[in-house]
Amino acid sequence: MLRRFAPGSFPRFLPFQGGALFLAGEGPEGTLRLWASDGTPAGTAELLGFAPGSGRRLPLPAGSPILLAPLTPAFSIPLNLTPVGDRLLFAAQDPEHGTELWTTDGTSEGTHLLADLQPGAGSSNPQDFTAAGNLLFFSADDGTFGRELWESDGTPEGTRRVSDIAPGGFSSLFGFPFQPVASNGFLFFVADDGQTGLEPWALRLEP
C-alpha cells in the first residue's frame, strides 16, 4: 500500500509524468488533495491541498512538498491531468478565470494558468484530454465558436483552436462522448458539423 487515505476517499486521475504518478484524492475532514508518487510509500507525498468552502491553504509539515496553486475551494479538483512533453496539463478553476487550462512542472513557480480560452470569469471547461506526441488535444468552448477541437504544446502561443467544424457559435463536440483516439498518425473523433450529423472525423498528425 502506498498511502492510506481517509475512509471513503479514493485516488483518481493517474497519468505518469517524469517518472512520478500524480493523483487527486480526498484527505481527512473532507479536504481535497493532489499527491505525487514514485511508486514507493516513502516517495508518496502531498503536493496541493485546500479545505472545501474555506479558500485557505492547508498547513503542511516541514519538509513536505509545497502548495502548487490555491484553486477555487470545493469546485476545483484538478481534472484530466495529462503529461505533454516535460509538463503536466490539466483543467482547474480559479475565481478570476473560471475553469480553464493549467500547467505544472511540479514546482509552485511552474504551476499556473496556461490559457484563458474563454476570457474573464467564464469557463471554457477543457475536457476529453488526449496526448499525441508532444501535443494535447481537447475540447473547449471559447464563448464565440462553441465547443470545438483544440490543441496545445504546453505553451500559451502553442494553444489554439484546431478548426471551427460547426461554423459560428454552434458546437461540433457537444452532448455526446467525444474522447479522441490517436492511432497510426491520425487523431480520430466523432463530431457534428451541423449538416451531416454525427460522423467519424480524422485529423492527420504532424510526424
Side-chain angles (χ1 to χ4, degrees), residues 1-122:
M1 178 184 294
L2 293 179
R3 176 67 163 78
R4 185 172 183 177
F5 291 98
S9 71
F10 56 94
R12 305 183 289 277
F13 320 126
L14 307 174
F16 284 98
Q17 167 69 4
L21 188 65
F22 287 77
L23 59 130
E26 293 188 7
E29 301 177 356
T31 57
L32 304 174
R33 301 173 183 269
L34 181 66
W35 295 73
S37 175
D38 62 4
T40 68
T44 301
E46 179 183 348
L47 290 179
L48 180 155
F50 53 85
S54 72
R56 65 182 176 85
R57 298 188 181 196
L58 299 178
L60 300 178
S64 294
I66 59 173
L67 176 68
L68 292 181
L71 306 174
T72 301
F75 298 104
S76 193
I77 304 172
L79 299 174
N80 299 310
L81 289 89
T82 305
V84 175
D86 60 355
R87 303 188 66 83
L88 195 70
L89 304 188
F90 60 99
Q93 181 184 25
D94 71 8
E96 295 180 5
H97 305 99
T99 302
E100 296 292 350
L101 187 64
W102 283 64
T103 179
T104 182
D105 62 2
T107 68
S108 180
E109 297 78 9
T111 302
H112 56 81
L113 178 74
L114 177 59
D116 189 12
L117 304 181
Q118 186 171 140

Side-chain angles (χ1 to χ4, degrees), residues 99-168:
T99 302
E100 296 292 350
L101 187 64
W102 283 64
T103 179
T104 182
D105 62 2
T107 68
S108 180
E109 297 78 9
T111 302
H112 56 81
L113 178 74
L114 177 59
D116 189 12
L117 304 181
Q118 186 171 140
S123 297
S124 70
N125 290 312
Q127 300 173 7
D128 311 302
F129 285 27
T130 296
N134 289 321
L135 290 175
L136 173 73
F137 291 93
F138 60 98
S139 70
D141 183 348
D142 65 2
T144 300
F145 293 96
R147 181 163 293 276
E148 296 289 350
L149 178 65
W150 287 70
E151 70 177 21
S152 177
D153 63 1
T155 67
E157 58 273 13
T159 302
R160 65 180 188 90
R161 180 169 43 85
V162 174
S163 179
D164 187 18
I165 295 174

